[in-house]
C-alpha cells in the first residue's frame, strides 16, 4: 500500500479515488492533484512510482491544508468559538446543532440516543 502523509491509500482503486482517503481531499481536489502532478487519474495506486508519490506529497504539502493540519485548524476554530462564548460556541459546548436546525424533533445525531423522562400521571391514574 502506498503511503501519503502518513495515510495508507488503497492499492486496488484508481489514483484519484485513492487520494480521497486523505482527510480534506475530495473527488474534485483529487482529480486536480492528479492533473497537476501529471498522473493519469485512472491508473491504480499500486502502479504509481515513488517519484509520482513524491510529487503528490510535495503538491499536498505546498498547496493544500490536509490531514493533521486541517484537523488542528478546525479544532482551534471550535475552541475559539467556545472561549468567546458566542452562540455557536455554546451550541458546540452543549452538543446541539450549530447551524440553525430544529431540535424539537430530529437532531438525534448531535443529541445522542433518546433519554426518556417520566411524565406526569394522567387524570385517570389518580382515581
Amino acid at each position: 500500500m502506498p503511503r501519503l502523509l502518513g495515510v495508507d491509500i488503497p492499492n486496488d482503486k484508481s489514483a484519484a479515488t485513492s487520494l480521497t482517503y486523505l482527510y480534506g481531499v475530495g473527488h474534485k481536489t483529487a482529480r486536480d492533484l492528479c492533473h497537476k502532478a501529471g498522473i493519469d487519474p485512472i491508473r491504480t495506486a499500486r502502479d504509481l512510482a515513488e517519484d509520482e508519490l513524491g510529487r503528490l506529497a510535495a503538491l499536498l504539502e505546498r498547496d493544500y491544508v490536509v490531514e493533521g493540519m486541517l484537523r488542528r485548524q478546525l479544532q482551534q476554530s471550535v475552541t475559539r468559538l467556545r472561549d468567546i462564548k458566542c452562540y455557536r460556541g455554546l451550541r458546540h459546548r452543549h452538543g446541539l446543532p450549530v447551524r440553525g436546525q430544529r431540535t424539537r424533533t430530529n437532531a438525534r445525531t448531535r443529541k445522542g440516543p433518546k433519554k426518556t423522562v417520566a411524565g406526569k400521571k394522567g387524570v385517570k391514574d389518580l382515581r
Side-chain angles (χ1 to χ4, degrees), residues 3 6 12 47 52 62 81 85 101 104 109 117 121:
R3 279 182 76 80
D12 301 332
D47 299 336
E52 293 172 330
R62 188 180 68 225
L81 292 172
K85 295 183 179 166
Q101 296 92 333
R104 183 171 179 173
T109 303
V117 178
K121 290 185 178 179

Side-chain angles (χ1 to χ4, degrees), residues 108 111-120:
R108 289 273 54 112
K111 291 169 79 173
K114 265 187 189 174
K115 301 172 199 79
T116 305
V117 178
K120 293 183 179 178

